[in-house]
C-alpha cells in the first residue's frame, strides 16, 4: 500500500468500524477518566469492586502503590482475554491497564486533593471510572480483570456487563468490612452502584455496534 494510502487508512472509520486513531484516542480517554476516578476514590479513602477493589484492599493493607498492584493483579486475566476475544482486544486491554496504572501513580503529583467528602468522592469517582470503562468497552478493550469476565459472559449468555460486574463488585466489597468503617463501606457501595449503573444503561451491543 502506498504511504499516502496507509496514512489515510489510519483515519478511515465508519459507522461500523473504528479507525486506528479512533481507538487510540478512545483508549487514552478511557484510561484518563478511569485514573482520575481512582484518584477521587483513593483521596476519599474508599474502595470499589473488581480487580481495582482488590488492588485498593492490598494497597491499604501493605502500602504498596495502587498502580503496581493493579497492573500485576490483571496479568492472569490476559489469558482469558486472548482465548476468548483475540489478540487485538488483549493488546488494547494491556495498553489501557498499563496506562491507567501509570496515570494513577502520576496524577497525585499534579492534582492536589487535600480533603474530599467520601460520598462526593464515591459518586463522582464511580461515574468517572464507569465512563472510562464505557469508552474502553466501545473500543473493544477493558480495564482487565472482572471486566474481561463480564464481557465474556455478556457475549456468551447475553447478560448485561454492568450487572455482572455489579455482582463481582458486591463480593469484593464484602471483604471491605474487615478494613473499613461503616461510613466508608456505605460510600464505597454507592460509588460501585453508580459505576455499574453507568455501564448497565449505556453499554449495549444493539445500540453501539462499531468495532
Amino acid at each position: 500500500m502506498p504511504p499516502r494510502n496507509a496514512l489515510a487508512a489510519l483515519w478511515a472509520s465508519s459507522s461500523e468500524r473504528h479507525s486506528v486513531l479512533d481507538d487510540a484516542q478512545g483508549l487514552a480517554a478511557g484510561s484518563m477518566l478511569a485514573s482520575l476516578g481512582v484518584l477521587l476514590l483513593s483521596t476519599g479513602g474508599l474502595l470499589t469492586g473488581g480487580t481495582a477493589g482488590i488492588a485498593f484492599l492490598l494497597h491499604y493493607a501493605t502500602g504498596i502503590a495502587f498502580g503496581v498492584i493493579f497492573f500485576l493483579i490483571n496479568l492472569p486475566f490476559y489469558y482469558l482475554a486472548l482465548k476468548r476475544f483475540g489478540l487485538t482486544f488483549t493488546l488494547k486491554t494491556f495498553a489501557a491497564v498499563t496506562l491507567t496504572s501509570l496515570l494513577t501513580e502520576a496524577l497525585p503529583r499534579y492534582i492536589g486533593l487535600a480533603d474530599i467528602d467520601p460520598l462526593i468522592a464515591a459518586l463522582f469517582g464511580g461515574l468517572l471510572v464507569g465512563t472510562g470503562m464505557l469508552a474502553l468497552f466501545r473500543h473493544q478493550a477493558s480495564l482487565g480483570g472482572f471486566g474481561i469476565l463480564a464481557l465474556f459472559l455478556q457475549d456468551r449468555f447475553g447478560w448485561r456487563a454492568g450487572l455482572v460486574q455489579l455482582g463481582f463488585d458486591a463480593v469484593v466489597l464484602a471483604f471491605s468490612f474487615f478494613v473499613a468503617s461503616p461510613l466508608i463501606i456505605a460510600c464505597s457501595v454507592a460509588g460501585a452502584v453508580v459505576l455499574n449503573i453507568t455501564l448497565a444503561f449505556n453499554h449495549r451491543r444493539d445500540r453501539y455496534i462499531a468495532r
Side-chain angles (χ1 to χ4, degrees):
M1 178 182 295
R4 181 177 297 180
N5 291 339
L7 182 61
L10 295 177
W11 295 91
S13 63
S14 68
S15 61
E16 296 183 353
R17 184 164 297 277
H18 291 121
S19 69
V20 174
L21 290 177
D22 287 339
D23 284 337
Q25 70 79 30
L27 295 181
S31 300
M32 292 169 69
L33 288 168
S35 61
L36 183 57
V38 168
L39 176 62
L40 291 177
L41 295 173
S42 178
T43 303
L46 302 171
L47 299 132
T48 189
T51 51
I54 298 174
F56 268 126
L57 287 171
L58 294 176
H59 166 65
Y60 293 145
T62 67
I64 299 174
F66 170 89
V68 174
I69 299 174
F70 183 65
F71 177 81
L72 293 176
I73 206 169
N74 274 293
L75 292 177
F77 290 92
Y78 293 126
Y79 172 76
L80 177 60
L82 182 62
K83 182 177 179 181
R84 183 64 182 83
F85 298 108
L87 181 61
T88 299
F89 176 91
T90 304
L91 291 176
K92 287 180 181 179
T93 296
F94 180 81
V97 169
T98 301
L99 181 56
T100 301
S101 298
L102 293 173
L103 287 174
T104 55
E105 296 308 308
L107 282 182
R109 304 175 188 174
Y110 305 101
I111 301 177
L113 296 174
D115 185 37
I116 185 171
D117 183 87
L119 182 59
I120 296 300
L123 297 180
F124 283 84
L127 179 62
L128 282 169
V129 174
T131 304
M133 292 177 66
L134 180 64
L136 295 175
F137 284 0
R138 289 185 170 181
H139 288 270
Q140 301 301 301
S142 77
L143 282 180
F146 294 154
I148 293 176
L149 188 54
L151 286 174
F152 171 84
L153 293 174
Q154 176 172 274
D155 284 356
R156 184 71 178 272
F157 302 108
W159 300 346
R160 291 280 188 88
L163 297 180
V164 173
Q165 182 90 27
L166 182 60
F168 292 142
D169 289 350
V171 174
V172 175
L173 287 171
F175 286 93
S176 66
F177 284 91
F178 297 102
V179 298
S181 68
L183 174 62
I184 293 299
I185 293 171
C187 291
S188 298
V189 170
V193 169
V194 169
L195 188 162
N196 289 288
I197 284 178
T198 300
L199 294 178
F201 276 86
N202 293 283
H203 184 63
R204 287 183 56 170
R205 281 291 181 87
D206 56 342
R207 287 180 178 169
Y208 194 88
I209 60 174
R211 292 182 175 274

